[in-house]
Amino acid sequence: MSTFNKKIFLALFLALFSTVTGMGIVVPLLPVYAESLGASGFYIAMIFGSFSISRAFLLPFFGFASDKRGRKPFIVVGLFLYSVVAFIFTLSDSIHFLIFVRFLHGIASAMIAPVVQAYIGDITPKNKEGFIMGVFNISMFSGLSLGPLLGGVIEDRYSLDVAFISMGVLSIIAFLLSLFMLPPTSKERYANRDKVPISIATILKDKDVIALFLYRTFYTICIGIIWCFLPIYAKSKINASSSQIGILITMCVLVNGFLQVPCGLLADKINKKTLMFIGSLVIAISLYVFKFTDSFSSMFFAAFLFGIGGGIAMPSLMALGVILGNKINAMAFLMSILTVGHSIGMFTGSILAGYAMDKFSVGKAFPMGSFVILIGFFLFFILSDKIE
């Protein structure tokens, strides 16, 4: 059984919270900014997709390397690069340069997310996976909730450059927290570097790995639709301000974050697949509701529902990931595979929504997401057979 180290948990919690808050400040503002530069739906999708492309290619490499060499070096270097990229954003004055900066942003991100999640998995006691991952996920969801709200206020009161600088400052804080609070690599006794993980080929053929990967991908397609095109949809449909857009994105994430701990505790006690089904159904309903929204209050309600669905499903998904990662002794590699699914989902969601925007109207993207999440759960259910 792993020994739970509260200092490591706190360091990683605060570091991820700072980083995600900074990212949340900027990302919801990018679609409207890109549109002001003349970007079509396709180019807006590419601004989001370039981040996912670079991250997807490098995630498995960094995950596998950290299983062998330790967690801290990748986390610290990744956070430093994150802060550098944040300040480069202030130089963006064209669509193509914005795509390039987001590509660099993805490289930095690939060094952080799966390695941090693996570190938490390393120190999580058995039969506490749902609770510990639920508590840790608060760092991500609270940051994603606070970030868009701050970003809208900063952009309305000051400028987009100030939002970019705020992201950089928060990334530096996260870098310093990890540099000084995490133990040196030589003392990472939870990394299991003395054990030999099963081969990469065996991991990639495992049906449970494939099941978790597919669900994470399909769920994130829905997130990609929300993050990439809800700002434009709200702007065109109800003439929403930047602050109102920030509130809508915040609601999608905030409710999700509030449910992480109670649903994590629930996942440790009842069948995780049942919770994932309920969450998927709520997500599907919420996305379909967006089609009929014609006011800020109705969009707020749809966003609220979307957050509930994710909050029910995600703790179970991540708990199953920790259980399987311990089983195959390749925690960071598995987390990187799941994060690849996240990247592919964000890219696919933004591309599909961009196509719907250019071909039909931006509102058509949301009902499409309803079918996506239900297909994702169906594939997960028929493929997963060893994990509960």
Side-chain angles (χ1 to χ4, degrees), residues 18 21-22 25-26 86-87 154 161-171:
S18 299
T21 301
I25 287 173
V26 168
F87 289 108
I154 291 171
D161 280 348
V162 175
F164 289 140
I165 292 170
S166 300
M167 175 184 173
V169 170
L170 287 169
S171 299

Side-chain angles (χ1 to χ4, degrees), residues 109-123:
S109 177
M111 302 180 74
I112 303 169
V115 182
V116 168
Q117 289 173 334
Y119 211 146
I120 295 297
D122 290 338
I123 63 173

Side-chain angles (χ1 to χ4, degrees), residues 22 68 92 180 237 259 273 289 296 316 342 364:
K68 289 185 169 294
S92 302
F180 293 110
K237 195 75 180 286
L259 290 175
K273 293 180 182 178
V289 168
F296 178 75
S316 292
H342 184 96
K364 298 290 186 183

Side-chain angles (χ1 to χ4, degrees), residues 78-159:
L79 289 170
F80 178 76
L81 292 177
Y82 227 80
S83 61
V84 172
V85 169
F87 289 108
I88 296 177
F89 264 117
T90 62
L91 306 176
S92 302
D93 58 359
S94 71
I95 297 168
H96 293 96
F97 189 74
L98 206 54
I99 291 173
F100 171 71
V101 178
R102 285 284 287 169
F103 186 86
L104 295 179
H105 199 185
I107 294 174
S109 177
M111 302 180 74
I112 303 169
V115 182
V116 168
Q117 289 173 334
Y119 211 146
I120 295 297
D122 290 338
I123 63 173
T124 297
K126 190 176 180 181
N127 298 323
K128 296 290 185 181
E129 296 89 359
F131 174 68
I132 296 299
M133 293 306 294
V135 173
F136 185 72
N137 282 343
I138 291 175
S139 65
M140 178 175 64
F141 288 109
S142 58
L144 287 174
S145 300
L146 180 62
L149 190 60
L150 287 175
V153 173
I154 291 171
E155 203 273 341
D156 282 343
R157 291 196 172 189
Y158 302 101
S159 68

Side-chain angles (χ1 to χ4, degrees), residues 4-17:
F4 186 67
N5 189 307
K6 293 181 180 178
K7 181 181 177 181
I8 292 175
F9 182 89
L10 180 62
L12 295 174
F13 185 98
L14 293 174
L16 192 63
F17 171 76

Side-chain angles (χ1 to χ4, degrees), residues 5 27 37 115 117 156 163 198 215 277 285 287 302 304 322 379:
N5 189 307
V27 172
L37 295 175
V115 182
Q117 289 173 334
D156 282 343
I198 60 178
Y215 186 83
F277 170 71
I285 293 170
L287 287 167
F304 182 82
V322 171
L379 293 174

Side-chain angles (χ1 to χ4, degrees), residues 299-313:
M299 286 191 183
F300 186 89
F301 174 71
F304 182 82
L305 276 183
F306 186 83
I308 289 176
I312 294 171

